[in-house]
Amino acid sequence: MLWAILTPSGALPGASNDRLVVMRAETREHFFKDGRPLISQLVSEGLSGTGKYSYSAVGLTERYLSTLTLLERWQYEYLRQLTAEYHQQADKESDLFMLVLFTLLTITGLISAGVFVVQYHILRPLLAARKMIVGMAEEKKVTLDPPPRVGELDQLFYAIEILKILLEERDELTRHLQYLAETDELTLLFNRRVFDLTGEP
């Protein structure tokens, strides 16, 4: 696997660092100069059938492991560089996530503020106007005390105020007409019509 990493074909992610490129070249040269010929020599000696080898198992291990020193060092540096790049990318993604989250929270806050403004300055005055109109239709005593509102609704409450004045004038006129219809002008007492209505079962 380590030998395959050192092969020149294909670009390695994270290995664009100049120091890693130099280390890779030195490691390949050292490994293929000392390590690979050693293995080839032992394979040839094994295929010869003589049963004699240049190195014992311990000697082979010590010699071969020394050829892997640079390889292990390069692998460590390569993995360290790759991990650092991944951490850097993760930090960028985290920053992007926080930016998106902040943007979403800001948009949500603006929408909530907009809903509050619409409710406070438009819906609330409209509901108050409805309550006043219904109260006047039911001939209840209505106080014109509209809540804070935007300027466009001033015309609505102005119209309600005129309507209230006209309804009060109509009630007063109705009471006066009823008084004239039920009172004798000369005596200022109830007339016969009232007595007739009172006497009806």
Side-chain angles (χ1 to χ4, degrees), residues 170-185:
R170 187 198 68 177
D171 290 342
E172 184 179 348
L173 182 59
T174 301
R175 283 193 300 272
H176 182 65
L177 290 174
Q178 184 177 4
Y179 173 79
L180 291 177
E182 296 176 350
T183 307
D184 182 71
E185 289 185 27

Side-chain angles (χ1 to χ4, degrees), residues 50-100:
T50 60
K52 295 182 179 180
Y53 293 94
S54 304
Y55 299 96
S56 65
V58 175
L60 172 64
T61 302
E62 291 176 352
R63 176 78 188 275
Y64 188 68
L65 286 180
S66 67
T67 66
L68 297 179
T69 303
L70 285 177
L71 184 61
E72 290 293 333
R73 197 175 299 163
W74 181 85
Q75 181 190 26
Y76 171 78
E77 288 296 326
Y78 169 70
L79 292 177
R80 189 180 65 81
Q81 175 71 22
L82 196 60
T83 303
E85 289 184 5
Y86 284 149
H87 280 303
Q88 187 177 12
Q89 185 65 27
D91 290 341
K92 289 181 180 179
E93 297 295 334
S94 177
D95 292 342
L96 180 61
F97 172 76
M98 293 304 295
L99 177 62
V100 170

Side-chain angles (χ1 to χ4, degrees), residues 117-194:
V117 168
V118 168
Q119 180 178 0
Y120 188 77
H121 290 287
I122 297 177
L123 295 180
R124 187 175 167 207
L126 287 176
L127 291 175
R130 175 190 173 277
K131 184 177 179 182
M132 293 175 192
I133 293 172
V134 171
M136 286 186 288
E138 295 175 351
E139 298 184 354
K140 295 179 181 177
K141 187 175 181 180
V142 175
T143 304
L144 288 178
D145 187 20
R149 59 191 185 275
V150 294
E152 287 77 3
L153 295 177
D154 283 339
Q155 294 297 322
L156 173 62
F157 285 95
Y158 178 68
I160 292 174
E161 187 174 353
I162 292 176
L163 177 62
K164 182 175 183 292
I165 293 171
L166 292 176
L167 288 175
E168 288 174 352
E169 290 177 355
R170 187 198 68 177
D171 290 342
E172 184 179 348
L173 182 59
T174 301
R175 283 193 300 272
H176 182 65
L177 290 174
Q178 184 177 4
Y179 173 79
L180 291 177
E182 296 176 350
T183 307
D184 182 71
E185 289 185 27
L186 190 58
T187 62
L188 298 179
L189 298 173
F190 287 125
N191 58 22
R192 181 176 175 180
R193 181 174 177 276
V194 175

